[in-house]
């Protein structure tokens, strides 16, 4: 469970970092919004899974 949660958090970080392409005019504003909010949501889910795994012990 912990490895899954860390993997989800890493995917979320990659999505948030890829949203930095918006100021460089590489992606559109709607894509920027999806990447930023999606990355934050995936990181939140990863942290909740990690917390559940720790409390389950």
């Amino acid at each position: 469970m912990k490895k899954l949660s860390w993997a989800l958090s890493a995917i979320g970080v990659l999505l948030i970092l890829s949203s930095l392409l918006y100021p460089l005019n590489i992606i559109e504003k709607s894509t920027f919004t999806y990447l930023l909010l999606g990355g934050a949501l995936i990181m939140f889910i990863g942290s909740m899974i990690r917390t559940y795994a720790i409390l389950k012990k």
Side-chain angles (χ1 to χ4, degrees):
M1 290 282 274
K2 286 185 183 179
K3 288 185 181 183
L4 172 68
S5 65
W6 281 112
L8 284 174
S9 294
I11 291 170
V13 167
L14 289 175
L15 287 174
I16 291 173
L17 288 177
S18 64
S19 70
L20 291 175
L21 296 173
Y22 175 65
L24 301 174
N25 291 328
I26 296 175
I27 59 173
E28 296 178 5
K29 188 172 185 171
S30 61
T31 308
F32 165 73
T33 306
Y34 291 140
L35 287 173
L36 194 63
L37 294 177
L41 181 64
I42 290 175
M43 283 185 66
F44 176 74
I45 291 170
S47 68
M48 289 298 110
I49 292 173
R50 191 168 36 256
T51 304
Y52 176 74
I54 291 171
L55 289 175
K56 189 177 164 185
K57 257 184 169 176

